[in-house]
Amino acid sequence: MDLSDLRNQMIHSVKKGIKEEYTESDLHIIKSINLVDAMDETVNLLTEHLREWHAIHFPELNQLVNDNEKFIKLVAELNERKNFSFEKIMKVIEDISLAEKIALKAENSAGEETDKNALNEMRSLAENINALKNQRKQIQEFIEKEMSRKWPNYSKECGSIIGARILAKLGSGKKLAFSPSSTIQVVGAEKALFNYLKKGGLPPKYGYLFAHPLVQQAKKTDKGKTARKLAGKISIAAKKDYFSEDKPKSKIIQIPEMREHSFFKKEFKERKPEFKEKDSFGKGFRDKGRRDFGNRGFKKDFGSRSRDSDNRGFGRDSGNRGFGRDSGNSDFKRKSFGDSDRKPRFGNSDRPRFGDRKSFGDRDNSRSFDRKPRFGNSDRPRFGDRKSFGDSDRPRFSDRKPRFGDRDSDRKPRFNDRSPRGDFDKKPRFGDFDRKPRFNDRDSERTPRFSDRKSFSDSDKPRFGDRKSFRDSDRSSFRGSSSNSKFKRKSSSRKPKPNKTKFKFKKN
Amino acid sequence: MNSRLTELFDGVYSFNSVILTKNLVPGKKVYSEELFHFNKEEFRSWNPNKSKLCAGIKKGLKNFPFRNGSNVLYLGSSEGTTVSHLSDVIGLQGKLIGIDISTRAMHKFLFLCEQRPNIFPVLGDANTPGEYRNKLEGIKFNVLFQDVSQPNQAEIFNKNAEMYLSKNSLGLIAIKAHSIDSSRKPKEVIEAEINELEKKFEILETINLEPFEKHHALIVGRKK
């Protein structure tokens, strides 16, 4: 059938294509670097199992030996408690103190006497874990060999393992050669990258390149820069390796290594301008405090101030303060501490400190009450200064009649004799204090309060308190006003009236 | 819950809200599906979480152009989970040509091909349909199905339809919004792709594949 021929041809061509792609590919590197990570995890898992299992027989060993390698060696070679003598342990581990402790505890151990079958299984497990560890080392060597064989320049720039990880993530050597340096910089931090792309914020500075020694040694501010520049050089090297036809080691092109790069040769000073001090808090002050004035000058200008928190025992703030016993003409007298003077350091700057101030600016000179008071400003009204609040008419002590003994002369000052200060008779307002209003802070023109209300709304409904009279709306007052006898209420009006007809008869 | 075997389309059945296809090679499984037996016939269950066509059927697909004897061009066949069900539907008289770019997936696809005689494999890039023109000479295609995850999905669809698909025949495409642009909203992305498809296709259905797949859409169109 034509169809079957066609089909066979297609299958054949597919197999050919697969073979072409698999020959001389980077798949061995990719698979092996994935294997290395998986092996680390499995080795850790198996050692945990071994520890818990062996602890049934010899629990003290599990507690004493924290290092996994030593533990596995001991179990692999000396399995049973009987074999744990000092000499035998020293052959396996070269640690005297540990060996002593183990040998002691082996005699009186809390574990059971287990069968040989179980112990044999434990021993074989320990041997297999050792074999896995050795294989992991071999695989790492294999990776390094392959990378240096296929990607010599690339593996020289970034290490063989970091290079293999980047290769594995990208998928193939072609993608590595065709990808820009920004992807190489960020490979490994995809989660952060796509979060940045979707939501915004700051992008990641490095991915797998974080493990590179140059990036790790750099300062915090320079880590991103080093990663970026490294990635640029790495991409050049990868392109060189991919597009060259012969790759023997003799043809490696000398790309200038990062350490010789001019970026790293500059020191801190050359890169940034010198830290210049301001004159107001600069050397002038500094010298004054140390040499000329002594104790008084320092404290007068800046108040008392405890330097103990800033004194670290070294640096600018330690040592001679310029006053006290240690000041004066002594041979040990440092005027500057070298670079630390200029460089900004913690505790180094002469910035004004919280405890120094007595006053700031113009606010101290004027004593107006309208301006906002500040902490330390002695002009603000204080709670105890008030004389009266509100319209309360209650009698006060100051209203009492003068008594014998209240003589004006030679009188000691009394609470009520104090004079108002400034605009003090004005009642303090809510905005003048930085504290919440208190019950006694009521104003004369006081804000309306809940208890002041006479009506809740604009309703015109008459209220009980609005009434002027019980009977007639004409009557003005309840009790009656004496001014107008017309509207005077008679007491008899309340009593029940007898049925009397009014008649008057007048007689001449 | 239908406890009866009902036929939804030609060759596609449903039983108790499980979608089934009649097994072309009785007794053999392709992936982790289950085998059902009714009236001495074997059926394979179709998983909507793995296959986008099945998810579309569950969400109410009306136009199902796969029939006994139809020729299908399948772009992005990968390991062959959906392809196996389509080959059940097509039968021995139909042909399904599966195209994929990855060698790893083709490796497993070859085992499928040896099992079923109506599947034809091609290792190639769907972006350049001229690559495999010689292999597909003389075959007239009834349906075009696409399930690739590339940023220019609509473009690929249009190119292949121009070359291989005959007029007034249907094409189905599963669009993955994240593979086009993961930072934009999926609705905007899908609308943009539909605008591109409308140059060559008259769109009949657009189905949202939630909760089976996130930010995916299945689009059915008839070629102009």
Side-chain angles (χ1 to χ4, degrees):
Chain A
M1 266 179 70
D2 281 334
L3 271 181
S4 63
D5 283 347
L6 178 68
R7 196 161 160 272
N8 288 334
Q9 277 177 23
M10 286 163 108
I11 289 173
H12 186 72
S13 64
V14 164
K15 285 190 178 174
K16 213 176 164 188
I18 290 172
K19 200 171 186 180
E20 270 178 29
E21 280 218 31
Y22 278 169
T23 51
E24 294 209 29
S25 68
D26 303 308
L27 279 174
H28 294 293
I29 296 167
I30 293 166
K31 305 278 180 188
S32 46
I33 194 80
N34 293 334
L35 230 193
V36 155
D37 295 330
M39 274 191 134
D40 285 336
E41 286 175 23
T42 48
V43 161
N44 283 330
L45 242 189
L46 291 174
T47 45
E48 271 183 48
H49 279 277
L50 181 66
R51 273 179 182 271
E52 285 178 21
W53 195 11
H54 195 78
I56 299 169
H57 177 66
F58 192 5
E60 285 82 5
L61 186 71
N62 188 13
Q63 284 169 18
L64 285 171
V65 184
N66 285 324
D67 194 10
N68 280 342
E69 271 194 57
K70 293 180 181 174
F71 184 84
I72 293 164
K73 270 189 200 173
L74 284 170
V75 173
E77 303 201 14
L78 331 159
N79 199 4
E80 302 177 37
R81 263 197 328 254
K82 304 172 200 170
N83 299 340
F84 279 89
S85 64
F86 183 76
E87 292 153 356
K88 286 189 186 176
I89 295 169
M90 280 300 291
K91 280 186 196 172
V92 180
I93 318 171
E94 291 159 11
D95 193 351
I96 298 173
S97 58
L98 240 189
E100 278 177 6
K101 289 179 194 170
I102 296 169
L104 271 175
K105 299 239 167 171
E107 293 159 18
N108 301 319
S109 153
E112 65 150 12
E113 305 280 340
T114 44
D115 280 351
K116 277 202 173 179
N117 293 326
L119 288 171
N120 285 336
E121 292 298 319
M122 291 188 223
R123 178 176 278 200
S124 66
L125 176 62
E127 286 165 2
N128 285 329
I129 295 172
N130 256 336
L132 278 176
K133 277 193 172 181
N134 290 333
Q135 195 182 6
R136 193 238 186 248
K137 282 182 200 170
Q138 280 178 31
I139 286 169
Q140 197 165 331
E141 289 166 18
F142 165 74
I143 290 169
E144 284 165 13
K145 266 193 210 171
E146 284 283 309
M147 289 292 286
S148 58
R149 189 168 68 85
K150 288 197 161 183
W151 302 86
N153 293 303
Y154 174 67
S155 59
K156 205 184 173 195
E157 284 290 322
C158 64
S160 51
I161 292 177
I162 299 170
R165 281 194 205 276
I166 294 173
L167 228 193
K169 197 75 193 221
L170 289 171
S172 70
K174 187 181 176 186
K175 285 189 184 174
L176 178 64
F178 280 84
S179 59
S181 57
S182 53
T183 49
I184 292 172
Q185 184 185 351
V186 156
V187 159
E190 275 85 20
K191 193 179 172 190
L193 181 68
F194 285 105
N195 263 339
Y196 156 71
L197 286 172
K198 282 183 205 173
K199 293 174 193 172
L202 292 172
K205 300 188 279 292
Y206 26 62
Y208 287 136
L209 276 182
F210 187 67
H212 197 275
L214 280 174
V215 174
Q216 294 220 317
Q217 288 163 18
K219 297 179 187 176
K220 246 190 178 179
T221 48
D222 299 337
K223 270 189 177 155
K225 282 183 198 172
T226 56
R228 193 174 63 231
K229 301 201 178 199
L230 240 191
K233 300 296 175 187
I234 286 169
S235 63
I236 295 170
K239 281 160 187 160
K240 166 69 191 166
D241 285 332
Y242 182 77
F243 290 108
S244 66
E245 288 168 5
D246 300 319
K247 293 173 195 172
K249 277 192 182 177
S250 58
K251 277 198 178 180
I252 293 172
I253 281 186
Q254 297 289 329
I255 299 168
E257 288 189 12
M258 285 299 290
R259 283 203 184 84
E260 295 165 2
H261 198 268
S262 56
F263 176 75
F264 287 101
K265 281 190 179 169
K266 286 184 199 167
E267 291 174 6
F268 177 76
K269 283 183 199 173
E270 292 174 14
R271 265 186 276 169
K272 288 188 184 175
E274 275 189 18
F275 175 69
K276 287 180 186 169
E277 297 170 274
K278 294 179 189 173
D279 289 332
S280 56
F281 292 107
K283 276 189 177 175
F285 150 71
R286 214 138 262 291
D287 295 345
K288 267 189 203 173
R290 275 186 194 161
R291 271 189 253 139
D292 298 336
F293 294 158
N295 201 354
R296 278 181 218 157
F298 190 78
K299 276 193 177 170
K300 191 176 165 188
D301 291 338
F302 286 88
S304 62
R305 155 188 164 184
S306 63
R307 294 258 218 181
D308 292 333
S309 58
D310 289 340
N311 195 344
R312 288 180 298 163
F314 60 94
R316 176 188 276 174
D317 284 336
S318 71
N320 242 332
R321 284 187 186 177
F323 54 91
R325 239 184 306 158
D326 299 327
S327 70
N329 288 326
S330 63
D331 286 335
F332 170 76
K333 199 175 184 187
R334 296 196 25 199
K335 292 179 191 177
S336 73
F337 287 82
D339 280 342
S340 64
D341 270 357
R342 273 177 283 148
K343 282 187 185 170
R345 295 228 182 281
F346 179 72
N348 200 6
S349 57
D350 298 320
R351 63 179 169 85
R353 286 195 160 76
F354 187 73
D356 292 349
R357 71 205 177 298
K358 263 189 182 177
S359 62
F360 285 113
D362 298 330
R363 289 192 193 118
D364 314 317
N365 299 329
S366 67
R367 299 179 126 239
S368 65
F369 188 66
D370 288 332
R371 299 231 188 122
K372 264 193 180 178
R374 296 252 171 241
F375 179 75
N377 185 351
S378 53
D379 287 321
R380 74 174 165 87
R382 288 192 160 74
F383 186 70
D385 295 341
R386 73 196 183 290
K387 202 173 187 180
S388 71
F389 294 106
D391 288 331
S392 59
D393 293 325
R394 67 181 169 86
R396 291 185 188 263
F397 188 70
S398 51
D399 297 337
R400 74 190 190 291
K401 292 181 204 166
R403 290 183 187 272
F404 179 77
D406 289 347
R407 291 165 293 194
D408 284 335
S409 62
D410 297 331
R411 217 172 72 126
K412 65 178 181 184
R414 292 266 145 86
F415 181 69
N416 300 309
D417 292 344
R418 62 193 189 282
S419 57
R421 278 181 261 159
D423 296 330
F424 230 92
D425 283 334
K426 269 193 194 171
K427 276 88 185 175
R429 305 235 162 236
F430 177 62
D432 293 336
F433 287 93
D434 283 339
R435 62 181 175 84
K436 64 181 181 183
R438 299 269 146 78
F439 182 70
N440 294 322
D441 293 352
R442 289 169 290 178
D443 302 333
S444 57
E445 303 151 326
R446 50 186 237 163
T447 53
R449 300 253 150 76
F450 185 70
S451 47
D452 292 346
R453 73 195 182 290
K454 283 191 177 173
S455 67
F456 288 106
S457 60
D458 294 336
S459 63
D460 292 327
K461 88 172 175 181
R463 294 202 178 261
F464 188 70
D466 296 342
R467 74 190 183 290
K468 291 181 178 178
S469 66
F470 282 111
R471 300 249 166 147
D472 297 334
S473 55
D474 294 341
R475 308 224 176 171
S476 58
S477 69
F478 179 68
R479 291 286 174 203
S481 52
S482 53
S483 58
N484 210 343
S485 60
K486 200 180 181 184
F487 298 102
K488 197 174 180 181
R489 206 167 72 87
K490 296 171 186 170
S491 58
S492 60
S493 62
R494 266 217 167 165
K495 293 172 187 171
K497 276 185 181 171
N499 265 333
K500 272 188 189 173
T501 53
K502 277 188 189 174
F503 75 98
K504 301 175 188 178
F505 59 93
K506 284 184 181 176
K507 273 186 181 176
N508 275 335
Chain B
M1 295 277 273
N2 250 345
S3 56
R4 253 193 192 184
L5 192 73
T6 52
E7 191 168 347
L8 299 171
F9 305 109
D10 231 7
V12 180
Y13 306 86
S14 92
F15 177 79
N16 267 350
S17 79
V18 177
I19 298 181
L20 313 167
T21 55
K22 222 190 237 187
N23 202 350
L24 195 73
V25 190
K28 293 197 179 172
K29 278 195 202 181
V30 175
Y31 58 103
S32 59
E33 78 270 31
E34 285 179 12
L35 297 172
F36 291 69
H37 294 93
F38 298 103
N39 301 334
K40 297 178 187 177
E41 283 172 351
E42 206 177 83
F43 297 86
R44 283 166 56 230
S45 68
W46 205 349
N47 191 350
N49 289 313
K50 290 202 173 182
S51 170
K52 279 152 198 166
L53 237 193
C54 187
I57 291 170
K58 277 219 157 183
K59 294 281 281 192
L61 183 72
K62 289 166 199 166
N63 301 306
F64 194 77
F66 304 97
R67 254 157 233 134
N68 203 358
S70 51
N71 295 339
V72 182
L73 182 62
Y74 196 113
L75 304 172
S77 54
S78 122
E79 287 166 16
T81 43
T82 315
V83 166
S84 59
H85 289 284
L86 286 179
S87 81
D88 287 343
V89 169
I90 291 169
L92 289 168
Q93 290 164 12
K95 289 169 231 163
L96 191 147
I97 286 101
I99 301 172
D100 205 278
I101 194 174
S102 104
T103 50
R104 213 168 144 193
M106 267 290 146
H107 231 253
K108 300 192 181 178
F109 195 65
L110 279 178
F111 297 128
L112 237 194
C113 292
E114 287 163 15
Q115 233 186 51
R116 287 151 187 266
N118 54 1
I119 302 182
F120 297 63
V122 174
L123 179 63
D125 192 357
N127 232 329
T128 53
E131 267 183 4
Y132 42 86
R133 195 202 283 171
N134 296 329
K135 298 177 188 174
L136 308 184
E137 242 182 81
I139 305 175
K140 282 190 182 172
F141 290 103
N142 306 117
V143 197
L144 177 64
F145 187 93
Q146 178 169 311
D147 186 11
V148 301
S149 52
Q150 294 287 318
N152 54 342
Q153 284 174 15
E155 215 186 301
I156 296 170
F157 199 59
N158 284 341
K159 277 193 230 173
N160 279 287
E162 204 186 319
M163 236 185 223
Y164 298 113
L165 202 59
S166 44
K167 208 178 175 185
N168 285 332
S169 44
L170 292 180
L172 294 95
I173 176 168
I175 294 185
K176 183 177 175 183
H178 275 299
S179 65
I180 295 169
D181 194 350
S182 57
S183 51
R184 272 162 60 198
K185 284 189 182 176
K187 275 187 188 174
E188 292 173 13
V189 171
I190 290 171
E191 279 172 20
E193 297 297 300
I194 288 173
N195 285 334
E196 262 208 64
L197 289 175
E198 278 193 331
K199 294 174 189 170
K200 306 224 162 162
F201 283 88
E202 179 199 329
I203 286 170
L204 304 172
E205 278 183 80
T206 54
I207 303 167
N208 186 6
L209 296 181
E210 285 206 10
F212 302 111
E213 310 267 1
K214 249 189 183 180
H215 306 316
H216 277 73
L218 185 69
I219 296 172
V220 184
R222 175 169 286 132
K223 198 179 173 194
K224 288 183 188 172

